[in-house]
């Protein structure tokens, strides 16, 4: 019998990254547009708080749900910025990044065979975390013609007696779409009508462009009691390697399960990281704002370059740091193939440029390619200079 973990992939992006790192080690210039790791250093006050925690010997076990100072800081943040109605810090659980938050949420929510509706395309780890909990991911296609907005009618059509939850991610990885208030409200109404939970992944809440507001679905009328929200400090404060995120849940049964799950898995986030997270949340927020400005600049550089390039049509992202491109039917292919991997392979081989094949994000992702612009502006500029010419040279021979 197949083991449940065997249903999980080793990750397409990891494969691309490993190839680029290998080429870099051999002295080749590479352009790291395959994965979403912020190029920035953590803000100085965060580093100082972590250094102080180390000096003060704050290196012991903490409460498995997080130190009180951090949970209180998160409570203030989600009340003021996300407009969530959270009664107290007991409804907040500090996790090892958003990823660990997602894992414990699906573990807490699902019984074997339960279904979760999620967008297609979607960052692969969502479907994989659903599977790891014995659940079944039910993809609902996002359409370019609808600016990759959620289609409430299509979500409703996918609901079955086994549906347990609707998963929402805005800003969205990989398309960069930002969900509108009206559509999110439509999802809430659907969840109420069919008695479903909503899982809201807001990892990119602060990577948002053109003065767009980020709307937390849990703050909308009728959503509070059926939403579990998950946040990450990886993108907001460039703390990706420090591994900290948090889950907000108001339902007593869910909270009870989530607490058991953190205790029996990570048993608390690294204590020093937690002190850094307190400083990040309570300190000045200008680094977060200036990172978003820089990401927007990189987006525009890459959009301009892709507009010049053949075989790809880029969707302009309103948030996140990904550029999702549809591959033209005239793409001549590479080594006899015309699929999305062939374009990813071509760009690596010809120019050392990283990307992610769209099929890594779900069935409808095939025929697409994703570029990340979280690497440095110099890297984005370098790749942008090369992409149009490299693609023009493609012959398929
Ligand atoms: C959509 C989405 N959610 C959650 C995460 C989790 O990030 P982390 O575990 O670093 O907090 C990511 C990371 O890339 C993501 O793309």
């Amino acid at each position: 019998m197949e083991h449940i973990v065997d249903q999980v992939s080793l990750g397409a992006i990891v494969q691309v990254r490993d190839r680029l790192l290998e080429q870099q080690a051999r002295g080749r210039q590479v352009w790291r547009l395959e994965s979403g790791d912020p190029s920035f250093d953590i803000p100085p006050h965060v580093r100082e708080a972590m250094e102080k925690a180390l000096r003060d010997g704050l290196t012991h076990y903490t409460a498995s749900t997080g130190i009180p100072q951090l949970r209180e800081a998160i409570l203030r943040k989600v009340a003021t910025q996300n407009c969530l109605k959270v009664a107290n810090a007991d409804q907040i659980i500090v996790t090892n990044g958003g990823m660990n938050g997602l894992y414990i949420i699906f573990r807490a929510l699902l019984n074997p065979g339960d279904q979760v509706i999620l967008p297609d395309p979607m960052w692969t780890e969502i479907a994989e975390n659903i599977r790891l909990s014995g659940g079944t991911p039910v993809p609902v296609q996002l359409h370019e013609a609808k600016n990759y907005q959620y289609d409430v009618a299509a979500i409703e059509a996918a609901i079955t007696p086994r549906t347990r939850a609707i998963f929402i991610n805005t800003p969205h990885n990989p398309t960069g779409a930002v969900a509108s208030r009206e559509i999110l409200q439509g999802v809430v109404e659907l969840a109420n009508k069919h008695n479903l939970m909503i899982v809201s992944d807001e990892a990119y809440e602060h990577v948002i462009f053109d003065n767009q507001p980020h709307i937390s679905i849990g703050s909308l009328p009728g959503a509070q009691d059926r939403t579990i929200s998950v946040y990450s400090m990886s993108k907001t404060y460039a703390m990706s390697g420090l591994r900290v995120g948090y889950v907000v849940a108001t339902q007593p049964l869910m909270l009870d399960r989530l607490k058991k799950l953190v205790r029996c898995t990570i048993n608390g986030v690294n204590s020093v990281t937690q002190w850094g997270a307190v400083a990040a949340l309570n300190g000045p927020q200008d680094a977060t704002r200036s990172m978003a400005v820089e990401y927007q600049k990189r987006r525009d550089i890459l959009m301009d370059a892709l507009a010049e390039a053949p075989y790809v049509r880029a969707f302009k992202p309103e948030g996140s740091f990904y550029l999702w491109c549809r591959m033209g039917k005239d793409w001549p292919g590479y080594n006899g193939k015309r699929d999305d991997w062939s374009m990813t392979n071509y760009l690596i081989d010809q120019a050392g440029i990283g990307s992610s094949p769209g099929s890594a994000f779900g069935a409808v992702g095939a025929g697409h390619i994703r570029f990340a612009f979280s690497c440095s502006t110099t890297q984005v500029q370098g790749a942008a200079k090369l992409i149009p010419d490299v693609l023009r040279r493609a012959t398929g021979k």
Side-chain angles (χ1 to χ4, degrees):
M1 196 178 126
E2 189 191 32
H3 192 277
I4 202 166
V5 182
D6 295 334
Q7 297 177 14
V8 170
S9 76
L10 277 173
I13 301 171
V14 175
Q15 289 175 45
V16 174
R17 185 192 63 200
D18 288 352
R19 276 165 65 191
L20 289 168
L21 289 177
E22 191 196 310
Q23 295 189 3
Q24 193 175 34
R26 284 194 267 112
R28 187 179 196 202
Q29 168 74 61
V30 295
W31 313 94
R32 304 287 312 281
L33 277 70
E34 79 285 2
S35 58
D37 188 6
S39 59
F40 302 97
D41 286 335
I42 54 172
H45 59 279
V46 174
R47 196 186 55 240
E48 280 152 27
M50 293 180 69
E51 286 167 355
K52 181 170 184 317
L54 269 177
R55 277 198 307 275
D56 292 350
L58 299 174
T59 52
H60 296 272
Y61 286 127
T62 71
S64 55
T65 49
I67 56 175
Q69 293 85 342
L70 180 52
R71 295 170 88 199
E72 288 295 334
I74 294 168
L75 179 64
R76 284 192 292 278
K77 179 264 178 186
V78 294
T80 54
Q81 291 186 34
N82 305 100
C83 305
L84 298 184
K85 290 189 187 62
V86 183
N88 54 55
D90 203 43
Q91 301 186 327
I92 287 158
I93 294 176
V94 179
T95 58
N96 201 291
M99 180 83 96
N100 170 235
L102 288 159
Y103 177 76
I104 62 169
I105 289 171
F106 291 125
R107 256 342 235 127
L109 262 181
L110 303 179
N111 278 316
D114 282 350
Q115 297 173 355
V116 179
I117 293 175
L118 77 169
D120 186 2
M122 186 62 229
W123 182 55
T124 333
E125 280 74 354
I126 302 302
E128 294 186 337
N129 269 303
I130 293 168
R131 284 193 202 99
L132 279 178
S133 294
T136 306
V138 177
V140 170
Q141 183 170 358
L142 302 178
H143 294 274
E144 187 187 3
K146 292 186 176 159
N147 291 328
Y148 296 113
Q149 289 286 324
Y150 294 103
D151 180 339
V152 177
I155 294 175
E156 184 160 35
I159 294 172
T160 74
R162 290 311 305 265
T163 309
R164 180 82 174 98
I166 302 171
F167 171 86
I168 294 292
N169 170 228
T170 178
H172 180 241
N173 177 7
T175 65
V178 170
S180 72
R181 181 180 296 272
E182 295 67 36
I183 285 180
L184 292 176
Q185 189 64 57
V187 172
V188 173
E189 272 146 35
L190 212 54
N192 275 298
K193 182 172 159 194
H194 296 274
N195 193 24
L196 304 176
M197 292 293 287
I198 298 168
V199 177
S200 176
D201 176 348
E202 303 178 34
Y204 297 92
E205 60 177 330
H206 292 107
V207 187
I208 193 156
F209 312 130
D210 307 315
N211 300 316
Q212 282 249 51
H214 167 70
I215 295 159
S216 296
I217 193 167
S219 71
L220 299 180
Q224 188 188 342
D225 294 337
R226 52 179 73 255
T227 304
I228 305 181
S229 312
V230 55
Y231 298 89
S232 165
M233 299 185 69
S234 297
K235 325 289 177 180
T236 299
Y237 299 105
M239 292 172 71
S240 48
L242 297 173
R243 310 305 305 133
V244 58
Y246 44 94
V247 171
V248 182
T250 55
Q251 313 75 19
L253 177 61
M254 281 302 129
L255 272 169
D256 201 49
R257 291 182 186 163
L258 291 166
K259 285 179 192 166
K260 291 176 187 170
L261 283 160
V262 276
R263 180 173 61 78
C264 294
T265 52
I266 60 167
N267 196 23
V269 168
N270 177 315
S271 58
V272 174
T273 286
Q274 290 194 61
W275 285 104
V278 172
L281 286 162
N282 290 345
Q285 302 298 305
D286 40 330
T288 298
R289 282 188 286 271
S290 56
M291 285 191 279
V293 169
E294 195 64 22
Y295 288 133
Q296 184 168 330
K297 214 160 91 186
R298 295 175 190 174
R299 174 198 68 175
D300 294 341
I301 293 168
L302 207 50
M303 278 299 294
D304 287 348
L306 290 163
E308 300 285 307
Y311 312 125
V312 282
R313 192 169 77 217
F315 175 74
K316 187 174 184 180
E318 301 171 312
S320 83
F321 30 57
Y322 305 107
L323 240 157
W324 184 246
C325 304
R326 177 196 281 280
M327 288 164 51
K329 293 214 168 23
D330 55 344
W331 162 242
Y334 182 49
N335 292 340
K337 291 196 177 146
R338 298 186 54 213
D339 64 350
D340 49 349
W341 264 109
S342 76
M343 189 177 274
T344 292
N345 288 334
Y346 175 79
L347 289 169
I348 298 174
D349 291 352
Q350 298 294 311
I353 295 170
S355 65
S356 306
S359 55
F361 301 92
V364 304
H368 295 75
I369 186 164
R370 190 198 76 173
F371 295 100
F373 47 93
S374 52
C375 54
S376 71
T377 305
T378 317
Q379 279 264 310
V380 172
Q381 280 165 333
K385 252 194 203 135
L386 293 170
I387 290 172
D389 269 347
V390 174
L391 283 179
R392 262 184 228 120
R393 284 203 310 267
T395 61
K397 303 262 162 49

